Each structure stands twice: as C-alpha cells, then as structure tokens.
Amino acid sequence: MTETLLSTTFSTFQALPFSDRCHRVWQRGDHLLIGVSPGNSYFSHLRIAQLVRWGRQFFDSVDVVHADLHVDTQFAAFGYPADQARRRAAKETKTTRRRIERGVELAGRSRVGVHALSEFADTAAYRRLSGEVAGALAEDEDFRLATEGMAAGFLAARLPEGEAPSADQLAAGVAYIAAELPFFLDTPSLLDVPSSVSCYHVELPLTPVLFGRDQGLRAVPGQGYAVVRPRAVPQVPQVATAA
C-alpha cells in the first residue's frame, strides 16, 4: 500500500490508496464510495458526516451504500428462528439507514447519494458482477480462501474467543460479503460514474486479490480502493512542574 497521504494538513482523515493504479484513480477525483455495514459502531452519524464532507473535497460526487442483503441469513446461522432473524435484520438495516441519512444531512453537501444494496439487485450490471463473483468462488481458490478468511474475521466478533465458525455460519458470512463485492469490482457500471474509489477504514483480506494481481477476478481499471481512516491526533507532551 502506498503511504502517500492525500488529505489536507488540517483534515480529519488520511487516505492510503492500495496501489499506484488506485492512486491514479483517486487523482481523477470522479467518485467516492463509502460502504456501511449494519451494526458497525465505527459508522456513527457524526463519522459519516465527517467522511462525506472530507470526501467532497476530493471527489465530484460521493455515494454511501449500506448492506441489507443476507443480514437475516447471518442471524439465522447464529441460531435465531427465521422470523426473528428477519425482524432483527430489518431493525438493524433501518437503524443504519437512519444513521446514514442523519449524517448526510448534517454534512450539508450536494451530490451525495444514499442507497441500499438491494436497490441494485435487479440491475443488469449487478447481476453480471454477482455472477462473476459466484464463478470465482467456485473456481478461483485464492479468491475463495480470501473471501472465507474475510468472513471468518467478521464472524469472530460474534463467537467465543478461539472458536471457529460453523459451516453454516461461514457460508452466511461469505454470502453477505459476496453481495457487496460488485462495488469493489466495478462501481462505475453500477452508479454510472467515470471512475470510483471504494473506501473502508481498514485494509480487507480481499484487497490484494482484487487490486493486486494480474489474473483471475479483479477490479476494472476505473475502480480503485483506499483505506480512509481518522488521522491520529498528536499527543501533547505533559510539562513537568516544580513541586
């Protein structure tokens, strides 16, 4: 990952594009995608407002997409009855949507969109990309292992320390991640923008697979990825005083 900082001196965030190609996509400044997962406390409405304001400094437009597919499947895999899993998923999704809308309103910037992942499920571009993801999961071992590793990492927070996910839990996690992957592969086709950078606050296990290799399933040339994280606040040294 390149260590080039793209934020301004007094900015709230710093950006680390994954590769030189991702850096070039960033420099085009066409579009930033912010992905938000239900139940992730990192994405408070204040954090979303800050991200949107910051992103509009560098990009012509910003979209926030929140996951709402296969959320109920994850709850079911952890033992919730089907009806309860659906209600719990609907509640978390609704809460996430409200938090995003509140943050976007607080940001007060134009050219900012908010979308649920399910809004794209019936589009030709999303169906095509989902098919490519399914094919890669079946045929590309590196891709499958990275996806399963990413799912296991997310599931670990819900499991007792040291316990591995069951087959059903892992399958639910993979399905959830697979539904999001079209936006890491080809956001320009999904949102009709010239180029796009998807961002998250940590590097994901799939990042090197989608953005760092020259074979197999990978992002289109106009798709970039960057870790965008809060800038560390310098600590002010304490001055000793005489007794």
Side-chain angles (χ1 to χ4, degrees), residues 206-222:
L206 272 166
T207 308
V209 176
L210 298 180
F211 296 92
R213 62 179 185 168
D214 56 6
Q215 60 184 358
L217 184 64
R218 54 198 183 276
V220 299

Side-chain angles (χ1 to χ4, degrees), residues 9-10 33 46 51-52 68 72 84 102-105 123 133 135 154 156 161 175 191 206 217-218 221 223 241:
T9 304
F10 301 105
L33 178 81
L46 291 175
L51 275 168
V52 168
D68 65 338
D72 58 338
Q84 189 176 353
R102 185 181 176 192
V104 169
E105 182 179 3
T123 66
V133 170
F154 285 146
E161 186 175 355
L191 287 173
L206 272 166
L217 184 64
R218 54 198 183 276
Q223 177 70 60
T241 57

Side-chain angles (χ1 to χ4, degrees), residues 164-188:
S166 68
D168 286 346
Q169 289 167 345
L170 186 61
V174 168
Y176 177 86
I177 291 169
E180 296 182 322
L181 288 181
F183 280 94
F184 289 86
L185 292 169
D186 192 359
T187 298

